Amino acid sequence: MQKIKSKFQKIHGLPNCCGVVDTTHITMCLSSAEPNCKVWLDQEKNYSMVLQAVVDVDTRFTDIVTGWPGSLKESSILHSSGLFKLSENGERVAEWKQAKDRSEIGEYMMGDSGYPLLPWLLTPYQEKDLTESNAEFNRRHSAARTVAARTLAKFKDTWKGEMSRPDKHKLPRIIHVCCLLHNIIIDLQETAMDEQRDENYRQQVCQLADENGVRVRDKLSEHLISR
């Protein structure tokens, strides 16, 4: 974790960033006659399963959860995940609780506007007229967040043969194995990735904002502009 935080600091100037969380949809075979089939139908009218992943600067997966139907929103999957429970308890993102009442910046992750703003999960400012510090935060936030989109797009392109529309019972295990192989390949090769994005799905927007999350994000944005 210290190496991950150090690289986010070096590349993006973001202190104590522990990773970027994002989701993607893996399409699968499903008969329209199957009970509850509509819950698997995503916003693009595909039958799919959602993969939520936390990614580091080197495009490794550091946390994954899958098996959820394609119709669920990012925020719903997050709240149902082990990542949420561990982070809320200060076990996964450990320092945010200790730093809550102090001036230093605690640990946190980055997420897009489809996620709620939390003390340990910072999302971009959505207002139109931003202050200089808020705009600088959004700029660095956006630059750091691209690693997740590139990683997920590359992941799906690399393993599209292995994940080619299996049924919903087999798919979670296949996704988990492909994620492990993805990390093993990075460890062996350490190759740079091409610029890719998972562009088939529209950006979701979540309006939930925890009061402590607002405070932490404001503190970080002021810290960035002061440097």
Side-chain angles (χ1 to χ4, degrees), residues 107-133:
E107 290 182 348
Y108 57 89
M109 296 181 188
M110 294 287 193
D112 62 31
S113 55
Y115 289 103
L117 173 61
L118 301 168
W120 55 270
L121 179 58
L122 302 186
T123 58
Y125 290 96
Q126 299 183 41
E127 295 82 3
K128 292 183 179 180
D129 298 320
L130 298 178
T131 64
E132 183 182 4
S133 61

Side-chain angles (χ1 to χ4, degrees), residues 10-220:
K10 181 179 180 180
I11 297 173
H12 300 292
L14 295 168
N16 281 340
C17 181
C18 298
V20 181
V21 60
D22 204 353
T23 61
T24 192
H25 290 256
I26 311 296
T27 56
M28 62 183 188
C29 287
L30 193 66
S31 170
S32 59
E34 183 170 333
N36 302 318
C37 66
K38 289 185 177 180
V39 74
W40 297 94
L41 202 61
D42 61 37
Q43 59 183 341
E44 300 302 324
K45 307 304 180 185
N46 298 316
Y47 291 117
S48 69
M49 184 174 290
V50 181
L51 166 63
Q52 175 186 279
V54 179
V55 180
D56 68 13
V57 171
D58 295 318
T59 70
R60 290 181 181 85
F61 294 125
T62 62
D63 185 281
I64 59 169
V65 62
T66 191
W68 296 102
S71 64
L72 293 186
K73 294 182 178 180
E74 287 180 331
S75 57
S76 298
I77 294 170
L78 175 72
H79 280 91
S80 301
S81 68
L83 174 69
F84 179 84
K85 297 177 179 65
L86 291 173
S87 298
E88 284 287 296
N89 292 333
E91 297 175 48
R92 181 64 173 81
V93 183
E95 295 181 6
W96 74 266
K97 283 192 171 183
Q98 290 89 331
K100 188 164 61 174
D101 298 318
R102 302 202 301 251
S103 59
E104 65 264 28
I105 306 297
E107 290 182 348
Y108 57 89
M109 296 181 188
M110 294 287 193
D112 62 31
S113 55
Y115 289 103
L117 173 61
L118 301 168
W120 55 270
L121 179 58
L122 302 186
T123 58
Y125 290 96
Q126 299 183 41
E127 295 82 3
K128 292 183 179 180
D129 298 320
L130 298 178
T131 64
E132 183 182 4
S133 61
N134 293 359
E136 177 64 14
F137 172 87
N138 275 10
R139 184 186 70 79
R140 298 199 195 192
H141 188 285
S142 177
R145 210 173 66 240
T146 57
V147 68
R150 289 188 290 111
T151 300
L152 291 171
K154 181 68 174 179
F155 170 77
K156 289 168 67 173
D157 183 64
T158 300
W159 303 104
K160 58 187 176 184
E162 286 72 17
M163 299 190 301
S164 57
R165 306 181 71 84
D167 65 48
K168 65 181 182 181
H169 303 291
K170 296 179 181 178
L171 187 54
R173 285 178 291 175
I174 293 174
I175 293 173
H176 273 93
V177 170
C178 290
C179 287
L180 290 170
L181 292 172
H182 168 92
N183 280 5
I184 291 171
I185 289 172
I186 293 173
D187 290 339
L188 291 175
Q189 297 181 350
E190 294 283 354
T191 55
M193 298 179 69
D194 297 329
E195 287 289 332
Q196 295 191 16
R197 288 181 176 273
D198 191 10
E199 295 181 336
N200 295 328
Y201 289 86
R202 296 187 297 274
Q203 174 63 59
Q204 299 178 22
V205 177
C206 178
Q207 301 296 336
L208 296 176
D210 182 279
E211 182 178 336
N212 287 324
V214 172
R215 182 192 55 76
V216 171
R217 185 176 63 181
D218 288 344
K219 185 198 301 185
L220 178 57

